Amino acid sequence: MAHPNKLDMTAEIPLPPHPRPQATPPNAGVTVGASSDPAGSATSYTVEAENAHGAAATIAARASTIAFDGSASTGELLPGPADLLAAALAACILKNVERFSTILPFRYQRARIQVEIERQEPPPRIARATYALRIVTDEPEHRLELLHRNILRFGTITTTLAAACELEGTILAEPPAASDHDSGEVSHR
C-alpha cells in the first residue's frame, strides 16, 4: 500500500509543495491575503468581512470584494455562507485539476463542476458534500482515476471537508469532439 502522503502515480515523481501564496499589499492599512510562517510549516489565509444591519455583507479577500447574504433570513440574490463553502470546494477541485495537469502531467481542455452540500439540523451542520466533475480530455479512465485520487489526497478544502463531513464525488471524461455540442449542464448522480 502506498504511503498516504506520496503522490499516487505510475512513475514516482515527488510532489512539489503548493506554491506559497504571496501576501497582498496593505488595503486601507489592513493586510488581506495569505502568508507563511518563517519556518515554512504553515500557510495562513486572512479575509475580512463586514455586515451592516439590513444591508448586504462583504468579504475582502486579497484584491477582491465578495458580496454575500449576511441577513438573518435566507436571501435569494446573494450567496450565503453555505453557498460560499460549496464554492470553496468547487474552486479547490478545479484549481487542483490545473495543478495536477502539470505535475502528472494530465491533458485537458476544460473542467467544470457542480457541488451540492447538505445541511442537517439539529444541530445545524454540513453533513454531506457531493460533486460531479466533468473534464474535457482524451486521457484514459485510469488516468482520470489517478487525477481524482490526487485531488482528494492533496486538496486543502477537500481534505478539510472530508474530515468534517461525508464527501463523495464523481469524475467523468468528455471527449474533446463531444464537448463542442454539449449543452453545458452537469447532471448530479
Side-chain angles (χ1 to χ4, degrees), residues 11 24 36-37 42-43 98 138 145 148 157 161 172 180:
T24 58
S36 299
D37 72 358
T43 299
E98 179 65 19
D138 58 0
E145 292 168 5
H148 198 196
I157 306 303
L161 281 178
L172 178 68
D180 296 342

Side-chain angles (χ1 to χ4, degrees), residues 18 85-101 108 110-117 129-135 147-159 161-162 167-172:
H18 285 281
L85 181 61
L89 177 58
C92 176
I93 292 171
L94 292 176
K95 185 173 182 79
N96 278 292
V97 167
E98 179 65 19
R99 180 171 178 248
F100 284 112
S101 74
Y108 84 101
R110 184 176 61 246
R112 58 185 181 197
I113 189 166
Q114 178 179 320
V115 173
E116 181 179 337
I117 59 175
T130 57
Y131 61 88
L133 174 62
R134 293 189 179 232
I135 301 178
L147 174 68
H148 198 196
R149 283 194 307 270
N150 282 292
I151 288 169
L152 292 174
R153 185 176 293 159
F154 295 104
T156 302
I157 306 303
T158 57
T159 58
L161 281 178
L167 177 62
E168 185 177 304
T170 59
I171 185 168
L172 178 68

